Amino acid sequence: MGLLDDLKKEADNLKDQESVRTQSLKANAAAVDRALRKTFQYLNELFRQLNVVKPPCARSYDLLTVGKISGFTQADYRIDYRTSQRDNIEHYESLAVTFKRLKPEQLTVKRDAEQIERFRDLLWQNNLRFTSEPLRNDRRVVVSETFIISCDIVCGVEVVGDYETGAVRFKLKNVEDFGPTLYTLEPDSVTDQSLEDLAKLLIGKESNFRIFNRRPGASSGSSSAAAAAPVATGQFAKTVAKNAQYVADPGPSAEAEKKTGLFGSFKSVFKKPD
């Protein structure tokens, strides 16, 4: 076999590999797009009903150095999506979900001078609104500060399609507790059952959404598993101070349609006593 034959064989192998890769990317794109569309349709219908029912939330939040906060209601569920063109076909790229968990009472917390900046960073990081009043000594030096904290928590979910690896990433913020949590699902794992467990997670009920993660059997005790397991980060991670951003109140919600399964259970589960 001569040089020309060797080069032709190598070229054919490269063409075959490129063809396989192209077909794999097309299959990934179709599967990811289907999963994102299914997620949008489910959550859009779910939120239309939640904005009418406004259910209570059983979940509590642990604010470091302060304690647990509970007794929330929830409302203002919103969802939007972004698309792009792939091979002249419109594909869903990502979904953006926001909602609020609300509590009328405010917290009053006093911090000494050496704790003020760290505590302020904590509140900014968790997107909590607050006002504060410093206490100064006779030399005008701040010795302590009293924080009045609103217990309205802005929650969010970003659902992103990873078209290269064929995965769907659910990036939660302030949903299971303060801070972020990441779940990575195979597109085929985005089913009616996994979406119902996601819905339970979003309304603060017990949920098995974790089992649909790519490595559901990983133990959070090992270092390798810690990288893959959906665990919230520490609340005191260093962040750039910024003003908290809040979504505006939505307009009147559409009348909820009667549904079976989780949808159909809302009125009975969250009905207020007469």
Side-chain angles (χ1 to χ4, degrees), residues 33-74:
D33 180 65
R34 284 195 303 270
L36 288 175
R37 289 176 186 270
K38 184 179 182 69
T39 302
F40 175 80
Q41 292 166 1
Y42 184 95
L43 293 181
N44 190 48
E45 176 66 16
L46 174 73
F47 294 166
R48 288 199 329 173
Q49 299 189 51
L50 286 176
N51 283 329
V52 174
V53 177
K54 296 181 175 62
C57 176
R59 190 172 296 278
S60 62
Y61 285 78
D62 190 3
L63 185 60
L64 290 182
T65 74
V66 175
K68 290 188 178 296
I69 311 171
S70 59
F72 296 95
T73 59
Q74 44 200 342

Side-chain angles (χ1 to χ4, degrees), residues 5-133:
D5 291 331
D6 289 341
L7 291 174
K8 182 179 179 181
K9 183 177 180 181
E10 184 176 355
D12 288 341
N13 287 336
L14 291 174
K15 289 178 182 178
D16 289 343
Q17 292 173 13
E18 183 62 26
S19 177
V20 170
R21 182 176 181 276
T22 299
Q23 292 301 317
S24 177
L25 289 176
K26 286 183 178 180
N28 284 347
V32 169
D33 180 65
R34 284 195 303 270
L36 288 175
R37 289 176 186 270
K38 184 179 182 69
T39 302
F40 175 80
Q41 292 166 1
Y42 184 95
L43 293 181
N44 190 48
E45 176 66 16
L46 174 73
F47 294 166
R48 288 199 329 173
Q49 299 189 51
L50 286 176
N51 283 329
V52 174
V53 177
K54 296 181 175 62
C57 176
R59 190 172 296 278
S60 62
Y61 285 78
D62 190 3
L63 185 60
L64 290 182
T65 74
V66 175
K68 290 188 178 296
I69 311 171
S70 59
F72 296 95
T73 59
Q74 44 200 342
D76 298 355
Y77 283 85
R78 295 182 176 191
I79 186 169
D80 200 359
Y81 64 90
R82 184 168 61 88
T83 64
S84 66
Q85 294 289 323
R86 293 177 178 270
D87 296 327
N88 297 318
I89 300 174
E90 185 180 53
H91 287 72
Y92 273 47
E93 288 287 334
S94 62
L95 313 176
V97 170
T98 58
F99 61 97
K100 293 180 181 178
R101 288 177 173 161
L102 311 170
K103 182 180 175 69
E105 294 83 6
Q106 294 181 319
L107 291 177
T108 301
V109 179
K110 183 179 179 180
R111 288 291 177 264
D112 293 334
E114 65 274 11
Q115 302 171 320
I116 291 173
E117 288 304 318
R118 194 179 188 201
F119 190 69
R120 185 180 285 113
D121 284 346
L122 171 67
L123 298 178
W124 271 324
Q125 180 183 341
N126 292 329
N127 214 13
L128 289 172
R129 292 179 299 173
F130 65 92
T131 59
S132 63
E133 182 67 34

